[in-house]
Amino acid sequence: MPTWSLVLFGVLLTGCLASENEKAKSWQGKATVHNLKEIIIGKCYNYIRVINPTVGEKNCTAIWEAFQNAFVYKDPCNISPTNYETFIKLAFHKIPRNETLFWENTKLLVHRYSDKTKRMMPLGDTLTGYLADDLDWCGQLEAPGINFQSCPTTTECENNPVNSFWVIASESYAKGAEGIVSVMLNGSVSDGTFPKDGFFAKFELPNWNKTSISQVLIWVMDSIEGPDRESCGTGTVGQLEDILRSQNFNYSCTDNVRTIRTLQCVDYPNDPACSCILQQDDSI
């Protein structure tokens, strides 16, 4: 075979391999958000200066470096929760006693209620959770080490950068719970108010320190427009109560806590479920 033919064959082979590699890197999830470094560092300073200055000084640059070292230039399907251990240590701060708030399928309502640490401090209101909340990211072995095209979903591979982050963040948060612990669940979902494969059941509840927790408050909140699928003592909520009883936790369960219901009713003032609540509030 002439020399030029060998060269052409090599070029074509290289191109085919490159195409196959590019195809292998195409994932179904959202890509890494652009300007991730600036976002993380900016959110860090916003948290320690504006949102929650009580946490004291934090080295936001070091926190970013620990965060990126967990996944940059690494296989996005082989990221362990332990990759983020340094980040967790640098971002750690104590959660105020009685202010831990766990949840499943109630994220928006939880954060409306917590009001950026003013009432309570769910994981998303800690520095650790605040930095990563609502962001997507993943790495790749090739330059630039970060994939800005797509990232793997948990269905594609469980040990992806985002899922592994929230695993260790959830475990760390749960271990810091003290005093009265609250759990806000959604009584209107169709797949179980206390899902067995949810982060609360898998990574948070098992990491509670029983000697540090004095009481567990379960709040089952239905959507204003319903339906009411599960309540205290029924379905998967009853299963959660069984777990707490078996582990000798002091707990109580309340359906549609009035103060939280009022927040829901702000967006549905004319709904029959809200008329009584809003009339009572107007009379105060």
Side-chain angles (χ1 to χ4, degrees):
M1 181 180 292
T3 302
W4 65 268
S5 297
L6 291 173
V7 172
L8 178 60
F9 177 76
V11 170
L12 291 173
L13 180 60
T14 301
C16 290
L17 291 174
S19 298
E20 287 300 313
N21 287 338
E22 289 301 318
K23 183 177 180 181
K25 298 172 197 171
S26 180
W27 306 103
Q28 297 178 5
K30 293 182 180 180
T32 303
V33 61
H34 285 279
N35 304 109
L36 181 63
K37 175 181 179 179
E38 291 78 8
I39 291 172
I40 293 292
I41 294 178
K43 291 181 77 172
C44 179
Y45 279 116
N46 185 50
Y47 189 89
I48 66 174
R49 296 284 184 263
V50 179
I51 294 177
N52 190 12
T54 62
V55 301
E57 284 298 309
K58 297 289 183 182
N59 188 331
C60 293
T61 300
I63 287 174
W64 157 252
E65 291 174 353
F67 182 78
Q68 71 163 347
N69 288 341
F71 71 94
V72 173
Y73 281 108
K74 293 181 174 64
D75 179 353
C77 278
N78 192 29
I79 304 300
S80 167
T82 58
N83 284 37
Y84 293 99
E85 285 182 341
T86 301
F87 169 87
I88 293 293
K89 291 177 182 177
L90 291 174
F92 173 82
H93 60 83
K94 189 174 177 61
I95 306 165
R97 187 177 180 85
N98 303 331
E99 292 189 13
T100 49
L101 175 55
F102 299 87
W103 57 270
E104 280 289 354
N105 296 310
T106 54
K107 179 179 179 179
L108 179 60
L109 186 58
V110 159
H111 286 286
R112 289 179 67 181
Y113 181 69
S114 67
D115 195 16
K116 295 182 179 179
T117 75
K118 290 182 177 65
R119 292 191 185 93
M120 302 190 78
M121 191 177 290
L123 174 55
D125 282 357
T126 65
L127 177 58
T128 298
Y130 177 76
L131 292 180
D133 200 23
D134 295 326
L135 298 181
D136 295 287
W137 70 91
C138 67
Q140 61 184 22
L141 297 175
E142 303 82 4
I146 298 178
N147 193 328
F148 292 104
Q149 302 302 316
S150 62
C151 289
T153 63
T154 304
T155 301
E156 292 174 289
C157 54
E158 188 172 358
N159 290 330
N160 65 70
V162 174
N163 192 66
S164 291
F165 173 89
W166 289 112
V167 167
I168 191 171
S170 296
E171 292 175 345
S172 176
Y173 177 76
K175 292 174 182 176
E178 293 183 351
I180 300 173
V181 168
S182 304
V183 183
M184 191 186 299
L185 305 174
N186 190 329
S188 295
V189 293
S190 59
D191 55 349
T193 296
F194 170 60
K196 299 301 186 298
D197 59 348
F199 269 67
F200 173 60
K202 291 176 64 177
F203 307 113
E204 295 174 335
L205 179 57
N207 281 288
W208 283 357
N209 185 344
K210 283 182 267 188
T211 60
S212 300
I213 295 175
S214 59
Q215 186 179 13
V216 179
L217 305 179
I218 305 171
W219 301 332
V220 182
M221 303 302 301
D222 295 331
S223 299
I224 291 298
E225 297 178 319
D228 177 9
R229 285 197 168 96
E230 289 192 25
S231 303
C232 294
T234 69
T236 60
V237 182
Q239 294 171 13
L240 171 58
E241 295 180 61
D242 289 340
I243 292 173
L244 296 178
R245 276 195 298 269
S246 69
Q247 298 183 13
N248 296 316
F249 280 105
N250 176 27
Y251 79 93
S252 66
C253 184
T254 306
D255 293 310
N256 296 319
V257 178
R258 184 174 177 274
T259 53
I260 303 174
R261 196 68 162 170
T262 302
L263 285 177
Q264 292 177 295
C265 286
V266 170
D267 295 325
Y268 299 90
N270 298 318
D271 192 280
C274 294
S275 58
C276 181
I277 293 176
L278 294 180
Q279 287 173 6
Q280 290 178 5
D281 288 344
D282 289 341
S283 64
I284 295 176

